[in-house]
Amino acid sequence: MAELVLGRVLSFQGDPFVEGYEAATCEDSGAILIENGMISDVGTAEALRKAHPQATVTDYGKALISAGFVDAHVHYPQTAIIASWGKRLIDWLNTYTFPEEMRFADPDYAAKIASHYFDTALANGTTTACSFATIHPASVDAFFTEAQKRGLRALTGKTCMDRNAPVGLLDTPKTAHDDSKALLEKWHGVDRLSYVITPRFSPTSSPEQLDALGALWAENQSCLMQTHLSEQPDEIDWVKTLYPSAADYLDSYEQHGLLGMGGLYGHAIHLEPREKDRLTEVGAAVVHCPTSNTFIGSGLFDMVGLMARGLRIGLATDTGGGSSFSMLRTMAAAYEVAQLRGESLHPSQLWWLATQGSAKSLHLHKKIGNIAKGMEADLVVVDLASTAPIALASARAETIWEAIFPTIMMGDDRAIKAVWVNGKPV
Ligand code: GUN
Ligand code: ZN
C-alpha cells in the first residue's frame, strides 16, 4: 500500500561542508511517497497527490520532515548511568560504567535496558544507532532482538576486554574472537541488523586480543569495526606505556590489523599529525561525541580541521558518557564546541552530520540518512515551534535555517512530533 507523507521536506543533494547550505533543499509543501518500507518518490504535495490518488495521506502541515537521526556511537548498556557526577574518563569507567556493565550478565536485565534504550532513542527521533554492547553475548542478542521487534536498522557488537577491567567483565583473546564470530554469524545481515567488531579500546585489550579481533575483521570485511581513540590525555599516556612499540594511539590498533576503511574511531580529539594522516589515507571514519566530550571533560574536537582533510565524520550521543539521548541536543553541543574553537557550524552542517554524515561514517548513506528515491523510509517529523521560547524565536525566521536553528539549540523530545521506521509510523 502506498502512503503519502506531507510536510516541509528537508533533503540533502550534497555535503554542506563542501557545497555550503545550498546542498540542502526544503520543500515547504513537500511530499514523500512510501511503498514497502522504501521512499519511492519525493516532490511537491500537489504533484504527488495528483500522481498517486489512491495513496493514504498523512499531513504534518508546517512540521519539518527529515530523515531519522543516526547516532553513530552509543553505549546502550550505560542508559541507566547517564548523568553520573564528577569523574573523568578512567575514573568514570571504574566507578560507574564497569559496575553497571557487570549487570548485563543477566539476560533479563539486558533485555529490559535494551527496550528502554530504543524507546528513548525513538522518542528523540533516532532511527539508527551504532552501539557498544558489553562483554556478554546476551547483551548483543538483547539489543538486536529489541531493534528487530521495532523494524529498526541497528548496529552493535560484543565489547571485548581482557585486561584492566573487573574480573567479571573480562574475556580472553580466544573467547573474544569466538564469541564475536558466533554473534556475527547469527546476526550480521539479518533483517536490518549489522554486527560490528568491537574492541573497547587499547587499554582494556591485550595485544593478543587485538590480533585475534584484527584477524576476525580481515575475514569479515563487510563488518565495521568500532573502538575509542584519543579521548583524554591520561588515556593516551596509558596507551603509550601499554603499547611501547606503537608510534601513537592509532598505531596500537594498526599494528594489530584494526585500522581500515570500515573503522569507526570514537572521540579522536587529541590526534597527532601522523594519526590524522593515517586516518585520512585509509579512509577511516571518526565520530564526534560533543556532549560526552564536555561532560567527561575530554576536549574540543576539531570538526573544521578534520572535515577539511576529507575525513568521514559521524555525530553521536555517546550515552551514558554523553549527557543526552537527543541528537538535537548533540547538534547544539557540536555547535558550542565549534564556537569555542572559533568556528561557527551552519545549521545545515549540523543537521547533515546528524543524518547523512553519521550514515556515511557507517557506510550506510545509500540506505539511510536522507530523503530521496530509493532510500529506506526512516523519518523524523519535527515541530519547529515545540515550546513557547522556540516558537517565539522561530516566528521571526526569514529562512528555513533561521526557523530550524532555535529547535537545534533548545529542542528536545517535545519537538519530535512523529517517527516513521521502515515505512510505518511508530
Ligand atoms: N573509552 C573506553 N570505554 C569508554 C566508554 O564507555 N565511554 C567513553 N566515553 N569512552 C570510553
Ligand atoms: Zn564510547
Side-chain angles (χ1 to χ4, degrees):
M1 196 183 64
E3 306 239 19
L4 261 184
V5 183
L6 311 184
R8 291 162 102 177
V9 176
L10 179 68
S11 60
F12 290 93
Q13 288 71 47
D15 175 349
F17 281 91
V18 178
E19 292 150 54
Y21 59 81
E22 277 157 31
T25 307
C26 186
E27 178 60 59
D28 277 341
S29 291
I32 303 165
L33 184 73
I34 299 175
E35 290 172 295
N36 305 317
M38 306 292 285
I39 297 175
S40 54
D41 207 355
V42 184
T44 63
E46 197 188 351
L48 263 59
R49 269 182 188 272
K50 211 175 271 172
H52 305 280
Q54 255 64 286
T56 313
V57 176
T58 310
D59 190 348
Y60 289 111
K62 285 194 166 144
L64 187 78
I65 308 178
S66 157
F69 298 131
V70 179
D71 189 343
H73 179 126
V74 349
H75 296 256
Y76 95 82
Q78 297 169 13
T79 296
I81 55 137
I82 192 166
S84 291
W85 185 83
K87 301 284 180 192
R88 291 170 65 83
L89 179 61
I90 305 303
D91 262 2
W92 175 84
L93 286 171
N94 288 320
T95 309
Y96 299 120
T97 309
F98 292 157
E100 178 63 13
E101 291 191 9
M102 298 262 242
R103 299 183 67 180
F104 286 70
D106 172 5
D108 292 340
Y109 187 68
K112 181 180 133 187
I113 297 294
S115 174
H116 189 95
Y117 168 74
F118 280 117
D119 290 348
T120 307
L122 281 169
N124 281 284
T126 298
T127 49
T128 287
C130 180
S131 183
F132 286 63
T134 66
I135 69 145
H136 313 97
S139 72
V140 172
D141 292 334
F143 181 87
F144 279 143
T145 301
E146 293 300 321
Q148 198 174 34
K149 271 189 205 165
R150 292 164 176 80
L152 289 161
R153 182 166 281 291
L155 308 88
T156 196
K158 171 191 138 82
T159 298
C160 302
M161 300 196 272
D162 68 347
R163 62 171 166 174
N164 295 320
V167 173
L169 276 187
L170 296 178
D171 50 19
T172 67
K174 181 164 166 43
T175 59
H177 174 278
D178 295 356
D179 288 350
S180 301
K181 184 167 189 281
L183 288 163
L184 185 166
E185 285 165 359
K186 180 172 177 185
W187 291 108
H188 189 57
V190 173
D191 294 340
R192 304 180 75 199
L193 311 174
S194 304
Y195 190 81
V196 187
I197 294 167
T198 307
R200 179 175 218 117
F201 67 156
S202 298
T204 48
S205 286
S206 63
E208 295 72 30
Q209 179 167 83
L210 295 187
D211 272 337
L213 294 174
L216 183 66
W217 196 22
E219 287 159 15
N220 295 278
Q221 281 289 297
S222 73
C223 287
L224 301 176
M225 187 288 303
Q226 63 181 346
T227 189
H228 296 86
L229 175 67
S230 295
E231 185 174 356
Q232 293 204 345
D234 293 359
E235 171 210 14
I236 297 166
D237 291 343
W238 195 21
V239 171
K240 278 187 189 139
T241 66
L242 293 169
Y243 290 86
S245 71
D248 43 44
Y249 196 155
L250 185 67
D251 199 36
S252 70
Y253 295 125
E254 183 162 17
Q255 284 186 342
H256 301 284
L258 294 171
L259 177 64
M261 268 251 291
L264 279 165
Y265 303 86
H267 303 277
I269 302 167
H270 309 282
L271 297 176
E272 304 281 349
R274 197 204 75 89
E275 293 176 296
K276 295 179 197 174
D277 290 344
R278 281 304 288 147
L279 287 164
T280 313
E281 277 161 19
V282 305
V286 297
V287 186
H288 181 27
C289 308
T291 71
S292 169
N293 297 344
T294 52
F295 183 75
I296 316 187
S298 302
L300 306 178
F301 180 83
D302 182 13
M303 176 64 72
V304 171
L306 294 174
M307 272 292 180
R309 288 172 166 263
L311 258 179
R312 283 179 300 115
I313 304 180
L315 186 67
T317 61
D318 190 34
T319 50
S323 54
S324 174
F325 291 94
S326 165
M327 289 300 282
L328 292 171
R329 175 70 202 115
T330 304
M331 288 182 233
Y335 178 79
E336 289 161 353
V337 166
Q339 285 288 78
L340 287 168
R341 295 187 65 101
E343 309 278 358
S344 302
L345 298 181
H346 190 270
S348 62
Q349 295 173 324
L350 296 166
W351 208 278
W352 182 87
L353 280 168
T355 53
Q356 263 292 277
S358 277
K360 252 182 122 169
S361 75
L362 303 175
H363 295 267
L364 289 174
H365 54 291
K366 298 204 173 125
K367 294 191 161 102
I368 56 166
N370 201 7
I371 294 182
K373 230 187 228 186
M375 302 286 283
E376 296 171 2
D378 290 343
L379 309 175
V380 61
V381 182
V382 183
D383 176 0
L384 297 180
S386 60
T387 66
I390 294 175
L392 193 64
S394 64
R396 300 193 170 188
E398 289 178 4
T399 68
I400 182 64
W401 299 115
E402 286 171 5
I404 290 175
F405 195 54
T407 290
I408 290 179
M409 294 310 299
M410 296 190 281
D412 53 29
D413 56 348
R414 288 170 291 178
I416 308 304
K417 208 174 149 90
V419 178
W420 288 57
V421 172
N422 212 15
K424 296 189 191 80
V426 294

